[in-house]
Amino acid sequence: MKIAVVAQALAGCGPDEVGAIFQREWLARRPQDDVEVQLGSDGVLVDDVGTGLDVVFRSRYPDSVEMVRERPERAVHYDVSAKVGMIDLACNRTWPQVEQANEMVGGWVDHAVPPHGSSAYLAEDIRELIERGARRIHLHLPRLFADSDLGWGFLAELSGIAVGQQSTVDDLRAVLSAARQRLLTCRIDVTYAGDLSLSGVNGMARAWASAGMDPLHAQEAEKDIGAWSALMVKASQNEENTLLARPQVDVRSVYTGVGGGLAYVLAVLGAGIFHVGSYIPHAYWPEGDSEAELFVYVTDTIGLEVPAGLNEMVARAEELAAPAVLLTRYDQVRRGDARRLGLDGHYQLLNRLGTAAQDNSPINIPQQLAQTVQKLAQTWGWD
């Protein structure tokens, strides 16, 4: 029997450790089976791990090196032989989980403080990767970005032209043209974990408010965002009706507010925009599940939104008429929801989150996972 497993981080355990435990425990019960593990990530923060995207990248590019980046801290990786880079801004720059020394409240940044800080460092990272020979860069953005300057710092640094909210349409058009020139030799693939609940940049401020920002700050931010988006739309319009004209990016798209508007800016510059769960299988996995008889998706938590990666796996399982099973540390998937999602099995390591501290501790996750995988092998294994 062949089992295809999508292994993602659980609290305290990286995707590689999760995959190793799953394979070991399943084969201990059914040594004749073939367990094929692919490392994945839903692109969100997992306790004591991060997003796990660095592990996914290294599994595909084992010769890659990490480029240490501080002020702000972020994860940048590059494989010189493959000419592929990866920048994960969600790992350290997600709002409001980012620590700020001058605004600490109980160890974490005060939710009432709006995101602030320049995004210029992202342009520096991309420019350095291109100078090192990168032909493709995978950039992962958080849904809510700690350094949300609406991409002004990024555009100014990348283009070499000063730009800001007071710039004219012609000024910004020149900036966008210069920035595109810098990216001509490199493909930028932008991923994100999920759509904003209110689509487009107009939903950005409301998403911040829903996450805990002071409503007055959110209202002020919404005014700035409205002016910025109107300026960007006008500047990005290509007046030349030629075959080389770029398609207009819809500012109301569900992804445009992601990364504090950086997703929209990068789309205007020609980057591809993808759900991370849909992107990883094509970018990092070899083909090999064509004969799988069981599909298992392991991830930390699932809230109200279903990860794109889970939908991808379920669709693949349906193509092969194979059962699909979900295993999480904790989720809000009810029994009726599981069938609607196309799941044939649904397991949780914890019955509910936030009960006994010793049960929720990451220290116990490996043992809990091992016991659950043994149960899976007994239930779903057949000859």
Side-chain angles (χ1 to χ4, degrees):
M1 179 181 181
K2 184 173 183 179
I3 302 94
V5 182
V6 180
Q8 304 185 93
L10 299 175
C13 297
D16 48 351
E17 185 178 356
V18 170
I21 292 173
F22 192 104
Q23 191 171 55
R24 183 190 70 218
E25 297 301 327
W26 185 285
L27 293 178
R29 293 282 179 172
R30 296 182 55 82
Q32 74 278 15
D33 288 348
D34 178 12
V35 180
E36 182 180 87
V37 176
Q38 303 291 359
L39 305 186
S41 170
D42 285 334
V44 296
L45 294 176
V46 176
D47 293 345
D48 299 328
V49 176
T51 64
L53 279 171
D54 57 335
V55 177
V56 175
F57 186 81
R58 288 197 302 269
S59 70
R60 177 65 178 85
Y61 301 103
D63 295 330
S64 63
V65 296
E66 182 174 2
M67 300 160 56
V68 178
R69 291 292 180 269
E70 299 177 349
R71 297 185 180 182
E73 181 182 357
R74 59 220 186 257
V76 181
H77 301 264
Y78 183 57
D79 187 310
V80 64
S81 59
K83 301 184 184 302
V84 176
M86 193 274 288
I87 303 172
D88 181 6
L89 293 186
C91 191
N92 301 103
R93 307 309 301 162
T94 295
W95 184 89
Q97 289 91 344
V98 175
E99 296 184 44
Q100 300 285 356
N102 60 335
E103 291 159 353
M104 296 285 283
V105 177
W108 295 104
V109 64
D110 184 352
H111 289 202
V113 176
H116 64 283
S118 174
S119 58
Y121 62 81
L122 175 59
E124 295 172 359
D125 292 341
I126 290 177
R127 190 172 59 219
E128 181 176 348
L129 286 172
I130 292 175
E131 289 172 353
R132 291 191 179 200
R135 292 294 178 265
R136 178 168 64 87
I137 297 173
H138 172 198
L139 168 63
H140 183 64
L141 295 176
R143 294 174 67 186
L144 299 177
F145 188 34
D147 305 311
S148 295
D149 62 351
L150 301 177
W152 290 123
F154 170 76
L155 284 173
E157 183 66 30
L158 187 62
S159 66
I161 304 172
V163 66
Q165 198 85 36
Q166 305 305 317
S167 299
T168 67
V169 171
D170 288 339
D171 292 338
L172 185 52
R173 188 169 288 153
V175 167
L176 293 175
S177 177
R180 288 192 186 106
Q181 289 296 317
R182 291 289 184 94
L183 302 178
L184 281 179
T185 61
C186 183
R187 189 180 92 203
I188 309 293
D189 293 336
V190 177
T191 62
Y192 65 105
D195 304 331
L196 292 179
S197 56
L198 294 165
S199 64
V201 293
N202 291 331
M204 200 193 316
R206 298 183 191 181
W208 277 326
S210 298
M213 181 190 287
D214 183 282
L216 292 178
H217 286 311
Q219 190 174 21
E220 288 299 316
E222 190 164 20
K223 294 178 183 178
D224 292 338
I225 291 167
W228 165 81
S229 62
L231 185 63
M232 283 291 297
V233 167
K234 293 178 181 178
S236 62
Q237 289 174 343
N238 195 323
E239 296 178 349
E240 298 179 5
N241 186 19
T242 69
L243 293 176
L244 298 178
R246 292 177 177 272
Q248 188 70 23
V249 178
D250 188 354
V251 74
R252 296 167 298 179
S253 297
V254 292
Y255 64 79
T256 51
V258 169
L262 272 174
Y264 176 61
V265 171
L266 286 155
V268 168
L269 295 179
I273 313 292
F274 310 91
H275 278 107
V276 67
S278 300
Y279 179 79
I280 286 177
H282 303 287
Y284 295 111
W285 297 353
E287 295 184 5
D289 64 2
S290 57
E291 299 178 358
E293 299 165 89
L294 173 67
F295 288 78
V296 183
Y297 193 87
V298 184
T299 192
D300 190 65
T301 58
I302 294 180
L304 299 178
E305 295 185 14
V306 180
L310 177 59
N311 289 331
E312 290 270 329
M313 188 203 74
V314 169
R316 181 59 178 154
E318 289 178 347
E319 289 178 8
L320 300 174
V325 174
L326 171 65
L327 192 164
T328 69
R329 181 170 64 98
Y330 174 78
D331 60 62
Q332 298 183 33
V333 178
R334 295 171 296 183
R335 184 172 299 177
D337 294 332
R339 178 58 62 182
R340 178 178 55 82
L341 295 173
L343 296 171
D344 300 283
H346 172 218
Y347 298 81
Q348 297 182 68
L349 302 186
L350 303 176
N351 290 327
R352 60 184 184 274
L353 200 59
T355 52
Q358 62 270 24
D359 293 335
N360 291 340
S361 172
I363 297 175
N364 296 321
I365 294 298
Q367 180 181 358
Q368 293 167 339
L369 176 60
Q371 293 171 349
T372 305
V373 173
Q374 292 171 12
K375 183 189 300 184
L376 282 174
Q378 290 177 319
T379 304
W380 293 95
W382 67 83
D383 297 316

